[in-house]
Amino acid sequence: MDLVDNQVSAAATLANKNGQTSLLDSGEDFEVLDEDDIDDDPPPLEDAGGGDHQEKREEPVDGEAKSEEASQEWMDVLGNDQLKKKVLVAGQGRDSRPTRGQNVTISVKTFLKDGTPVQEQPELSFTLGDGDVIQALDLAVLLMELGEKAVVQTAAKYAYGTRGSCEPEVPPDADLSLEVELKQVCNAADLELLQPLEKLALASGKRETGNFHYQRGDYAFAINSYVIAMEITDSNSKVDMSPREENQLIDVKVKCLNNMAAAQLKLDHYEAALKSCVAALDYQPNNIKALFRMGKVQALLGEYGEASQTLRKALKLEPSNKTIHVELSKLVKKHSEQRGAEQAMYKKMLGNPTPSDPSKRWTKESWSLSWKWLFGATAVAIGSVALSVVLAARN
């Protein structure tokens, strides 16, 4: 199954211009095939100075004193010592903190634990809480004030995990240090007022984020991103939209439903995956990916007859698809084995004798022959008596 669709590339570019940034442009819909904690103290990010030759500093004013006092304390964000934040420069107060669903812009410098630079992003914009960035940033920025500068130290599990990352280049199981400044906070755009291309780009960006999480094996995060993307496609619009633009939004939604079904399958949520497939087919009844995944889900639920019918429909639409051929062959074999087992079980339950029992067959046949012989002999005897009576009468 080809998973590449270039229809929304231009729209995804527009999303970046509008301040929506995903972790990875992971391309189009993909085919599903057969898928530490470190508590070491992190190093300092810079030389703290020291020795006997320091210049004598003037007494700081009140604001500077508060900033310096705040910078000396580490906040244990999750209470497990694996995600910590320290204020370097105080912000504009607690009232200026962002909330989930708002758009934020930050500058961030990323370092490995040993201080090796990884990446510098002067202007990174994302929707807080949507999973557009690594979990450490999503959680830490929630606790930052506008204008605040802070250091965030995170274990690998809240960054790029056991897989690491190619872009940016992060090795597996790498703890990170992040220098973050919260530069801007604003409310998310009103979906009803978005232009069609803006809405398409926003939904496509969330879908790509879901693909990124899926490819990393973070299936729950992937499902969350697909749900957000579908909420965007389903939102009402006060702006005129052409039939072509409506179809493009539907196409994005169907791709989200297909990929969400794939993620639900990975989590063994079969009933939920079946509902996602049914929803996708409501929009596009001949969607090959939705039919294929629906057939797989039905087979996993033991509905072999329905699964076979679904896969045959998919094969009829795409006869050269080898993946469907293989799945259908396995399904036919399983169905045959199931029917054989059911027949054997029914015979055992009903207690039917097998036709190969020679003693019972002989008994039945012998009784049949005995009755036939007795009946014939009786008829001959009666006939003989009648004949004798007639002859005697004539004489």
Side-chain angles (χ1 to χ4, degrees), residues 188-296:
D190 188 341
L191 295 178
E192 294 184 348
L193 300 178
L194 283 180
Q195 294 296 321
L197 282 180
E198 293 175 326
K199 183 177 286 190
L200 179 64
L202 184 59
S204 298
K206 301 298 182 184
R207 180 185 56 77
E208 289 171 0
T209 300
N211 291 357
F212 171 81
H213 289 305
Y214 180 92
Q215 291 164 352
R216 294 182 55 80
D218 297 328
Y219 304 119
F221 285 111
I223 291 171
N224 181 66
S225 294
Y226 295 140
V227 169
I228 293 171
M230 290 189 293
E231 289 174 350
I232 296 170
T233 62
D234 290 340
S235 61
N236 295 325
S237 181
K238 295 180 179 178
V239 179
D240 291 336
M241 189 177 300
S242 68
R244 179 175 178 273
E245 291 166 337
E246 290 179 353
N247 288 333
Q248 286 178 322
L249 283 173
I250 290 175
D251 190 52
V252 171
K253 182 173 183 178
V254 170
K255 288 172 182 173
C256 288
L257 285 166
N258 272 333
N259 291 352
M260 187 161 70
Q264 289 163 335
L265 272 172
K266 290 291 186 179
L267 295 172
D268 296 333
H269 297 169
Y270 300 143
E271 295 291 347
L274 184 60
K275 289 180 181 179
S276 297
C277 293
V278 170
L281 291 170
D282 284 342
Y283 289 101
Q284 296 178 358
N286 293 330
N287 187 283
I288 299 294
K289 295 183 181 71
L291 287 169
F292 176 74
R293 291 196 177 104
M294 184 174 179
K296 290 194 69 172

Side-chain angles (χ1 to χ4, degrees), residues 315-326:
L315 194 60
K316 186 177 180 180
L317 293 169
E318 197 170 302
S320 61
N321 192 304
K322 294 182 179 179
T323 305
I324 299 177
H325 273 288
V326 171

Side-chain angles (χ1 to χ4, degrees), residues 72-276:
Q72 303 303 316
E73 300 176 358
W74 282 99
M75 175 189 292
D76 190 350
V77 176
L78 298 175
N80 58 5
D81 204 38
Q82 296 181 29
L83 179 61
K84 299 188 294 185
K85 168 182 167 289
K86 182 168 72 170
V87 176
L88 298 179
V89 176
Q92 299 176 14
R94 295 178 64 90
D95 291 341
S96 66
R97 287 183 177 181
T99 58
R100 290 183 182 275
Q102 287 189 305
N103 291 338
V104 298
T105 301
I106 65 172
S107 66
V108 56
K109 296 179 181 178
T110 305
F111 303 85
L112 297 181
K113 184 178 179 181
D114 61 5
T116 303
V118 172
Q119 187 180 41
E120 182 174 352
Q121 296 167 284
E123 299 280 336
L124 175 61
S125 298
F126 59 94
T127 303
L128 200 58
D130 277 11
D132 297 339
V133 292
I134 60 174
Q135 199 175 3
L137 280 177
D138 242 348
L139 294 171
V141 173
L142 269 173
L143 301 173
M144 293 184 66
E145 302 169 1
L146 185 61
E148 178 184 322
K149 295 181 180 179
V151 177
V152 176
Q153 294 180 342
T154 175
K157 66 186 298 183
Y158 303 116
Y160 295 97
T162 57
R163 294 172 178 261
S165 171
C166 293
E167 183 59 41
E169 188 175 349
V170 177
D173 296 313
D175 295 354
L176 299 179
S177 293
L178 311 168
E179 291 183 1
V180 185
E181 179 184 359
L182 180 55
K183 304 176 72 172
Q184 185 178 358
V185 178
C186 63
N187 292 327
D190 188 341
L191 295 178
E192 294 184 348
L193 300 178
L194 283 180
Q195 294 296 321
L197 282 180
E198 293 175 326
K199 183 177 286 190
L200 179 64
L202 184 59
S204 298
K206 301 298 182 184
R207 180 185 56 77
E208 289 171 0
T209 300
N211 291 357
F212 171 81
H213 289 305
Y214 180 92
Q215 291 164 352
R216 294 182 55 80
D218 297 328
Y219 304 119
F221 285 111
I223 291 171
N224 181 66
S225 294
Y226 295 140
V227 169
I228 293 171
M230 290 189 293
E231 289 174 350
I232 296 170
T233 62
D234 290 340
S235 61
N236 295 325
S237 181
K238 295 180 179 178
V239 179
D240 291 336
M241 189 177 300
S242 68
R244 179 175 178 273
E245 291 166 337
E246 290 179 353
N247 288 333
Q248 286 178 322
L249 283 173
I250 290 175
D251 190 52
V252 171
K253 182 173 183 178
V254 170
K255 288 172 182 173
C256 288
L257 285 166
N258 272 333
N259 291 352
M260 187 161 70
Q264 289 163 335
L265 272 172
K266 290 291 186 179
L267 295 172
D268 296 333
H269 297 169
Y270 300 143
E271 295 291 347
L274 184 60
K275 289 180 181 179
S276 297

Side-chain angles (χ1 to χ4, degrees), residues 57-69:
R57 296 181 57 186
E58 297 179 359
E59 288 294 324
V61 296
D62 289 346
E64 293 177 351
K66 290 180 181 179
S67 176
E68 184 176 353
E69 181 181 355

